[in-house]
Amino acid sequence: MRLLTHIVAPEQEGWPLRRLLRQELRISGSFLSRLKWRPGAILVNGRPATVAAVLHTGDAVTADVSDLPGDNPHIRPVAWPLDILWEDEDLLVLNKPAGIAIHPAALTEETVTVAGAVCHYLRTDSFHCVNRLDRGTTGVMAVAKTGYIHRLCMESLHTDSFLREYRGICLGTPQPSSGAIDLPISRDPGSLLRRTVDPMGLPARTLYETLLPGELSLLRLLPQTGRTHQLRLHLSAVGHPLAGDWLYGTEDRTLIPRPALHSHRLELTHPVTRRRLTVTAPLPEDMARLLPEDMNKS
């Protein structure tokens, strides 16, 4: 159960409860319309109250923002060890390994997914992923523990309040060594999976910086938008696909058996406490071994 509590301030004297729930606790209208029919979910001074109730200074308002039955399709929990980087009552931040999908695939059975492992860990059947990573991508990813927290996180996902930094190892050295890639992206009409650069596609922007140039270059990547396969496609489009990228480059399993992409750092403003949170994950072994030893800590 996740309870939010707020003490009515003098400037909120006379507010209807509905206004405080929407404005101060940021409960959406659709969620509130369901919440108000849930027995005991909204209390004023420990007693059930209607959303039309008039509030007075010092009143204690409590709202149960736990997931409601039917909020999410059922996910089969699976016992599987999670590499937890940070956790509180609202968020779970993980270090995702390569080779595991976030959700069960539509056309194939998945024995283990991040969704299933998280549901087992949290003892729930609801899963709320904040920043998605491809099956082959490693590193930091955030999971909201309730749909309420997930909605608040998604409001800030592509703003300065939610920053994502990646490490990638590409073929060759980009020129110039740092800059921006602005190329719109759309679905490839000839593929169920691929994306393509398309003047009529959705805007997509990636900032990059070369940390170590060479035949295999280590890059710092900052996506400014969140298009599917954005980093992989952008690097391929400028002639420097990620090592091991079988979809947008050349597969070489002797080099690395996946696209060499790692979610290195996640920085966000906590949706409830409003404190700034920064979480990092070290470069995984399969990427680190492609670099000189003194660069493995970059």
Side-chain angles (χ1 to χ4, degrees), residues 91-110:
L91 293 171
L92 184 66
V93 184
L94 308 173
N95 183 14
K96 175 190 171 296
I100 180 172
I102 301 295
H103 292 94
L107 301 178
T108 60
E109 291 188 3
E110 298 284 354

Side-chain angles (χ1 to χ4, degrees), residues 6 14 27 79 86 125 129 140 144 162 254 259 262:
H6 178 80
I27 295 176
W86 190 89
D125 60 3
C129 179
V140 186
F162 197 105
T254 63
H262 174 68

Side-chain angles (χ1 to χ4, degrees), residues 75-78 100-104 113-120 124 126-127:
I75 296 173
R76 183 172 63 89
V78 177
I100 180 172
I102 301 295
H103 292 94
T113 62
V114 174
V118 168
C119 286
H120 181 271
T124 181
S126 296
F127 176 71

Side-chain angles (χ1 to χ4, degrees), residues 34-69:
R34 301 171 65 189
L35 197 63
K36 66 184 181 180
W37 297 109
R38 185 178 181 181
I42 302 172
L43 305 175
V44 176
N45 299 323
R47 297 178 179 177
T50 69
V51 295
V54 176
L55 299 174
H56 301 286
T57 301
D59 282 348
V61 176
T62 303
D64 181 356
V65 294
S66 306
D67 284 340
L68 301 176

